Amino acid sequence: GAYAPTCQGLRERKGFVFEGGIRVPCIFAGPGVEANNVSDVPTSHIDFMPTLLAMAQLDSPECDGVSLQPILSGEGDIPERDLYWHYPHYANSGGKPGSVIRSGDYKLIHWYEDDSWELYNLKDDLAETMDLSSSEPERTAIMREKLEVWLDETGAVIPERR
């Protein structure tokens, strides 16, 4: 259905798995951080621990995140990787249970209420207005498999339909 973009043209807001709910600015300051450095590389909160440990010049244990130090210093980039979000519950803001994988410019959402899937190209459609899951079934299937493997490997609690 129709919706009014919120959050500077992004769809929805906090408590939703659309970009308005999961895309937030991240600001770092400290030793080794280049002033006025801006990056559009997708990151996640899982990157904070290895980044802060790198800034403190401490070894990082093996973890899911990666250090953002190359980006922060302006000396490089981080390897491209898939990012995941799992939101298995309702939010008081109206958000519904879903899981997400972002792979490159594409984002796949799985809705648990009706077991539906939506695919968006964030480079071309940041407001998430054009669901591509029907027109790109192969990409949808590949991303769906990756998301399902990640949910299984992490032991994610999956909501049951009633």
Side-chain angles (χ1 to χ4, degrees), residues 26-35 37 47-61 66-74:
C26 181
I27 300 171
F28 276 93
V33 177
E34 181 182 309
N37 182 9
D47 301 325
F48 293 174
M49 182 177 72
T51 300
L52 294 172
L53 289 170
M55 290 174 74
Q57 299 179 346
L58 298 171
D59 291 333
S60 177
V66 299
S67 172
L68 304 176
Q69 190 65 33
I71 296 171
L72 299 176
S73 67

Side-chain angles (χ1 to χ4, degrees), residues 103-122:
S103 187
D105 292 328
Y106 287 86
K107 177 179 171 183
L108 182 70
I109 303 171
H110 179 217
W111 297 109
Y112 290 104
E113 279 189 341
D114 60 3
D115 197 30
S116 64
W117 298 83
E118 295 177 15
L119 177 70
Y120 297 99
N121 180 332
L122 298 177

Side-chain angles (χ1 to χ4, degrees), residues 95-107:
K96 296 182 172 154
S99 294
V100 175
I101 177 176
R102 173 158 180 181
S103 187
D105 292 328
Y106 287 86
K107 177 179 171 183

Side-chain angles (χ1 to χ4, degrees), residues 129-149:
T129 61
M130 189 178 307
D131 176 9
L132 303 173
S133 60
S134 295
S135 62
E136 296 199 36
E138 188 174 321
R139 183 183 308 274
T140 299
I142 290 168
M143 291 178 68
R144 177 180 177 162
E145 175 67 20
K146 287 181 178 182
L147 179 59
E148 289 173 342
V149 166

Side-chain angles (χ1 to χ4, degrees), residues 44-96:
S44 179
H45 68 282
I46 61 174
D47 301 325
F48 293 174
M49 182 177 72
T51 300
L52 294 172
L53 289 170
M55 290 174 74
Q57 299 179 346
L58 298 171
D59 291 333
S60 177
E62 186 176 325
C63 60
D64 292 334
V66 299
S67 172
L68 304 176
Q69 190 65 33
I71 296 171
L72 299 176
S73 67
E75 295 175 7
D77 224 331
I78 59 172
E80 190 171 307
R81 72 232 159 106
D82 296 333
L83 294 175
Y84 300 89
W85 292 264
H86 182 55
Y87 200 79
H89 52 83
Y90 293 93
N92 60 4
S93 59
K96 296 182 172 154

